[in-house]
Amino acid sequence: MKLPNTAHTSRPWRIHELAGDFELEDVWALATPGGPDGLAQLVRQFTSDDGSHQSALVVRTLFAIRWKLGALLGWDKPGSGIGTRVPSLRDRLPADLRDMPRGPDSETLPFTSVYQTDTEWVSEIANRTMHGLMHIGWVPDGAGSYRGQMAVLVKPNGWFGKAYMAAIAPLRHVLVYPPLIRAIGRDWQMRATG
């Protein structure tokens, strides 16, 4: 379920002090009920190479098209990513976050972990179109349990990046995130019962 931006901005996340120059694109509730210590399990699910979180055919197809277009148009060339075109968000971390384990990198997608606490995990990606952050938070659900919440923050690269983000917004909201969020919930449920 898509949430209002305040579901992210009203929380006391550490990301707020680090990413003030990023735009909050989307906030989504994840059907991942659990106890107060469930974030580590959710992060393992996001970063594993079993592909279950990408199980929706539409999502796999759209990602495949995006990577082909990126290769064809040079959006993902070496020199366009983290540490080359843009510095890593890790460079902004205060000492307490820098000294903590940063969490795992994705085994299947080009996301690099920035930091992980008990309640939030941030990973990043960059290419010629944008520098993006995926923020996964672990929040009380109001009924005595907890669940995941995903926020996407982006810093577009110039006018082209802004146009690209505007052009893909309808695809993200209709074809990418809803099936992806359902797949995350199904995978969570399977792991909980299996």
Side-chain angles (χ1 to χ4, degrees):
M1 166 175 62
K2 188 161 180 1
L3 297 173
N5 285 355
T6 55
H8 176 78
T9 58
S10 67
R11 307 275 324 152
W13 304 123
R14 298 294 301 273
I15 192 67
H16 300 315
E17 67 192 77
L18 303 169
D21 52 339
F22 285 74
E23 300 169 13
L24 179 59
E25 291 285 325
D26 299 296
V27 184
W28 297 86
L30 304 177
T32 55
D37 300 325
L39 180 66
Q41 178 183 345
L42 183 57
V43 170
R44 281 191 302 275
Q45 179 178 323
F46 263 87
T47 59
S48 72
D49 70 351
D50 66 8
S52 56
H53 58 286
Q54 300 173 31
S55 60
L57 177 62
V58 172
V59 174
R60 283 196 324 266
T61 302
L62 287 173
F63 271 111
I65 291 168
R66 165 53 186 89
W67 300 133
K68 291 286 186 193
L69 275 175
L72 180 68
L73 300 173
W75 295 344
D76 307 313
K77 285 184 178 177
S80 66
I82 304 294
T84 52
R85 188 183 70 76
V86 297
S88 172
L89 194 66
R90 282 196 60 76
D91 296 346
R92 301 181 185 186
L93 295 183
D96 66 318
L97 287 178
R98 201 175 17 243
D99 293 341
M100 296 174 74
R102 65 182 179 87
D105 293 334
S106 174
E107 296 174 359
T108 57
L109 296 174
F111 281 88
T112 303
S113 185
V114 176
Y115 70 89
Q116 183 175 343
T117 69
D118 293 340
T119 59
E120 61 184 312
W121 172 65
V122 176
S123 62
E124 65 184 338
I125 184 173
N127 55 44
R128 292 205 189 283
T129 63
M130 57 85 204
H131 184 183
L133 306 174
M134 179 173 58
H135 180 275
I136 303 297
W138 196 244
V139 298
D141 69 357
S145 186
Y146 290 76
R147 65 162 172 75
Q149 179 173 293
M150 181 177 76
V152 177
L153 298 98
V154 174
K155 187 187 320 181
N157 185 20
W159 67 267
F160 177 69
K162 287 180 187 284
Y164 172 79
M165 292 306 297
I168 68 168
L171 294 173
R172 285 193 339 261
H173 294 139
V174 176
L175 298 176
V176 176
Y177 288 127
L180 178 63
I181 300 303
R182 286 192 298 273
I184 291 166
R186 280 192 308 270
D187 186 42
W188 183 267
Q189 204 57 27
M190 281 186 350
R191 289 172 191 240
T193 59

